[in-house]
Amino acid sequence: MTLPSLSLLRCFDAAARYESYADAAEELGLSVGGVSRQVKALEVHLGVNLFRREGRGVRLTTAGEALAPRVHEDLERLSLTVEAAKALGSLPKMLSITAPSTFSERWLVPRLKQYRDAHKDVALVVKTRAEPFDLVTEKVDVAIHFGAMDWPGAQLTPLCPENLTLVAAPSFLDGQGGTVPEIVSHRHRLHLTTRPHMWEGFVASLSKQTKGIQEGTYFDEFNLLIAAATAGMGLAIIPSYMIEKEIATGALRVLASVPDDSNRSYYIATQPATGSKLVSDFIIWLKGQVSGKYTIDQMISSDNG
């Protein structure tokens, strides 16, 4: 059996609620005769009488009383479904992103304006988070992960290496010459408490003498380490991507590239088997932000030139 049209059901619903063709007609913006014809058409379609004449009005029959509440509920559900679809259609596309705090502040966020300007229909939600978590449960589309390829349940795409660099403020160097080994051996060192051995491998690659290498000032965040280096407190080993602005403005000078044998890098973590074009396009954009950058050797040459 084919379903009756929506207009027939709406007329029946209004007439059943009022038990009046006139009141139903006023609600629907139809004539009384129009409502009567629609109800009659529904009765013919179903093969039962839904109303009976009673004086100058109408009353629901037993079949009509049984049908009326169900039709009303179905029309209400259909209305809610349509409104929900309309609301979703009016919302912008949303992209949820997480990344470690310093990475977000110093690399990701300064670039996001470019992405937003090119994708005005995309709403961005950016949060800071460093440790792996369940991307599906947390409803996160893209996460930046630093470490090894060790994020269970996520698809990992390489983004960039850390590119550790030895840097210092011009005021700290005070115009004095000397080779990098000489500078390192005689100058104050700044350390990161979460990576206390970062200096050891570098100094060992320059000289066999590593006595006193742990001496210096310690900070528990890269942001503090960068602030201390910029203020001229000493030498620091910092990923180049974190100090692009300081290098460009001359607030920090790059003295050397620092070898890193930790096998850690930056990755883009996404939900497994996601087919979202929005996510795949954002990954392409992210990777494009690290391609074609000047090398650390070029930075050193620029500083020395």
Side-chain angles (χ1 to χ4, degrees), residues 107-271:
W107 191 89
L108 179 61
V109 171
R111 289 165 165 80
L112 280 181
K113 183 180 183 299
Q114 175 191 345
Y115 177 84
R116 187 199 63 187
D117 290 347
H119 303 82
K120 296 184 183 297
D121 61 332
V122 178
L124 299 174
V125 178
V126 184
K127 299 179 181 180
T128 59
R129 196 158 179 176
E131 299 301 321
F133 57 93
D134 191 321
L135 294 166
V136 177
T137 301
E138 301 283 343
K139 298 181 180 178
V140 170
D141 299 304
V142 177
I144 304 301
H145 170 58
F146 175 70
M149 296 191 72
D150 56 358
W151 192 314
Q155 181 173 317
L156 293 175
T157 302
L159 178 60
C160 62
E162 191 170 34
N163 289 343
L164 294 175
T165 58
L166 176 67
V167 297
S171 61
F172 177 79
L173 296 172
D174 198 26
Q176 297 182 26
T179 64
V180 170
E182 290 172 337
I183 293 173
V184 170
S185 65
H186 295 100
R187 302 286 180 156
H188 196 83
R189 288 174 291 276
L190 307 178
H191 301 265
L192 192 67
T193 56
T194 55
R195 298 167 75 171
H197 304 294
M198 196 155 50
W199 275 97
E200 290 181 1
F202 177 55
V203 172
S205 71
L206 299 176
S207 169
K208 294 181 180 180
Q209 178 57 259
T210 60
K211 183 179 179 180
I213 196 61
Q214 297 300 330
E215 295 176 0
T217 306
Y218 285 78
F219 301 89
D220 68 350
E221 290 184 356
F222 263 124
N223 271 331
L224 295 177
L225 184 66
I226 294 166
T230 305
M233 287 184 65
L235 296 163
I237 296 175
I238 304 172
S240 62
Y241 77 84
M242 287 188 182
I243 49 175
E244 290 174 342
K245 182 179 179 181
E246 286 78 6
I247 294 171
T249 61
L252 288 175
R253 285 183 52 192
V254 177
L255 303 176
S257 173
V258 177
D260 182 13
D261 58 1
S262 67
N263 295 319
R264 294 187 295 180
S265 188
Y266 282 88
Y267 297 91
I268 305 167
T270 55
Q271 297 178 20

Side-chain angles (χ1 to χ4, degrees), residues 11 14-26 32 35 51 56-59:
C11 278
R17 282 186 284 109
Y18 294 114
E19 288 194 310
S20 167
Y21 288 171
D23 290 342
E26 183 176 351
V32 174
V35 172
F51 292 94
R56 299 184 64 182
V58 293
R59 290 290 181 268

